[in-house]
Amino acid sequence: MQLVGLLGGTFNPIHYGHLRMAQELADALNLSAVRFIPAANPPHKPAPEVSAGHRAAIVELAICNNPLFKLDTCELTRTGASYTFDTLVSLRKELGENVALCWMMGSDAFVKLNTWHRWRELLNHCHIVLVQRPVAENQPKLSDELTTFLQDHYTENMDDLSEKSAGYIHMQAIPPLDISATKIREQLKASRSPRYLLPDNVLEYIATHKLYT
Ligand code: ATP
């Protein structure tokens, strides 16, 4: 079965942490494509000051030279909170049952998974592929509930992911990059340069549209 990677995020803005993670997993798991899915109205974060349209535009710029990477704006066309569960249901309708969907996420996102809408049912529609993110000092520990969820669905063997279309959690080691959108926004606000943490064409777009000032 073909494997399609899915990377949802606020992308406020997109940076090399996202892009390297997607590339590392594409290579390691032999993904046939990676879809970048900007959240229009992220349910777990304060409303981004930069519009979903701008955030999607910079994702498109960042991935424009990679034929494996695609922008998916499905969450921009829905109203209300951007629930991953709804996104997965619509992706399943679009792509059918004969493709394995791999929802990729950093460890910081996984520790909060049990706050997501219908979180246990996500695995009916996709696998979850985790990467370790450099640990923030204040990062919460994995709850008992999530530890059990992880143990119940965990596979060490990446070949399992192509055996069925959904249902596993897999962890993949990748070289960690300590880059976050929060730090980039702070640098831009303080008139310091985040150059080399994100693509130049993204920085140019940010400057042209006077974002994050
Ligand atoms: P913010 O700092 O605004 O919270 P962020 O940099 O964490 O943003 P998101 O758009 O929220 O970026 O992240 C989307 C997904 O990408 C999440 O699953 C997150 O864990 C993952 N991710 C973000 N940055 C990295 C990184 N440097 N390495 C690995 N995964 C990352």
Side-chain angles (χ1 to χ4, degrees):
M1 209 182 291
Q2 279 203 334
L3 265 64
V4 171
L6 307 171
L7 181 57
T10 317
F11 301 122
N12 189 30
I14 190 166
H15 52 69
Y16 283 133
H18 300 122
L19 293 162
R20 276 309 306 166
M21 185 249 251
Q23 188 62 49
E24 292 280 354
L25 292 181
D27 290 341
L29 305 176
N30 197 21
L31 303 177
S32 60
V34 177
R35 291 193 181 206
F36 287 71
I37 310 173
N41 306 303
H44 302 106
K45 289 190 180 184
E49 65 187 275
V50 167
S51 72
H54 278 314
R55 289 182 286 109
I58 56 180
V59 169
E60 190 150 44
L61 283 174
I63 65 177
C64 65
N65 290 325
N66 190 330
L68 214 55
F69 290 179
K70 309 263 180 308
L71 170 67
D72 187 327
T73 55
C74 67
E75 294 190 359
L76 274 61
T77 51
R78 294 204 305 262
T79 52
S82 306
Y83 291 124
T84 298
F85 178 83
D86 298 339
T87 300
L88 288 169
V89 169
S90 82
L91 278 167
R92 265 290 160 221
K93 270 201 195 122
E94 180 192 335
L95 299 172
E97 295 300 323
N98 292 326
V99 61
L101 299 179
C102 296
W103 188 270
M104 320 191 297
M105 61 164 79
S107 45
D108 60 310
F110 187 72
V111 295
K112 297 183 209 141
L113 188 75
N114 52 351
T115 64
W116 291 23
H117 179 60
R118 302 179 73 168
W119 64 277
R120 288 179 189 278
E121 293 165 76
L122 300 176
L123 283 182
N124 296 340
H125 302 285
C126 68
H127 302 304
I128 293 177
V129 177
L130 296 176
V131 301
Q132 182 66 46
R133 213 174 153 179
V135 182
E137 279 158 34
N138 51 0
Q139 183 170 309
K141 286 234 166 2
L142 198 58
S143 66
D144 291 348
E145 184 174 46
L146 277 171
T147 304
T148 307
F149 184 68
L150 178 62
Q151 283 164 352
D152 287 350
H153 301 282
Y154 186 70
T155 181
E156 209 168 56
N157 182 2
M158 69 168 89
D159 294 336
D160 285 344
L161 302 179
S162 51
E163 294 296 318
K164 57 180 193 174
S165 60
Y168 284 119
I169 303 177
H170 175 68
M171 276 192 227
Q172 188 69 37
I174 64 169
L177 281 183
D178 193 3
I179 303 175
S180 75
T182 302
K183 280 194 213 152
I184 291 172
R185 291 195 301 277
E186 284 168 4
Q187 287 175 326
L188 287 165
K189 281 215 167 60
S191 301
R192 283 183 284 120
S193 175
R195 207 170 167 199
Y196 310 120
L197 299 176
L198 68 175
D200 281 347
N201 59 356
V202 170
L203 265 182
E204 278 160 26
Y205 185 98
I206 288 172
T208 305
H209 295 272
K210 300 189 169 56
L211 308 179
Y212 308 109
T213 48

